[in-house]
């Protein structure tokens, strides 16, 4: 699962380079826009890692004591 997430991030960077190249060619690139949103992305990522540090789950995506029964919603039967 981690590889898929890392792959999506890499594709985003590669596509950003392609889009930046096109916008520079047509003289429509705004570096301030890229800088502001890159800073917002770094701040959001830092906040997520601050709230949920990777070592908190011991390297696992879900805690081991979570079972499917805890997620399933029980619907009461009609009387």
């Amino acid at each position: 699962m981690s590889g898929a997430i890392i792959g999506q991030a890499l594709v985003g960077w590669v596509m950003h380079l392609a889009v930046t190249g096109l916008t520079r060619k047509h003289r429509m690139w705004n570096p301030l826009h890229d800088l502001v949103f890159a800073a917002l992305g770094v701040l959001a990522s830092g906040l997520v890692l601050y709230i949920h540090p990777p070592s908190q789950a011991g390297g696992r995506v879900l805690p081991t004591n979570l079972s499917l029964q805890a997620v399933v919603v029980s619907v009461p039967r009609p009387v």
Side-chain angles (χ1 to χ4, degrees):
M1 190 65 157
S2 326
I5 295 171
I6 292 170
Q8 286 180 346
L10 290 175
V11 167
W13 282 104
V14 170
M15 287 306 300
H16 180 265
L17 293 174
V19 169
T20 302
L22 284 172
T23 54
R24 288 183 74 189
K25 177 182 175 183
H26 295 286
R27 297 183 183 152
M28 297 297 294
W29 184 52
N30 184 359
L32 180 62
H33 178 268
D34 284 352
L35 182 64
V36 167
F37 282 96
L40 288 174
V42 168
L43 287 173
S45 299
L47 181 64
V48 166
L49 290 174
Y50 177 75
I51 293 173
H52 302 286
S55 62
Q56 186 177 19
R60 296 183 192 92
V61 176
L62 292 174
T64 55
N65 61 355
L66 182 67
S67 67
L68 186 60
Q69 292 175 350
V71 179
V72 174
V73 177
S74 63
V75 179
R77 295 182 182 181
V79 181

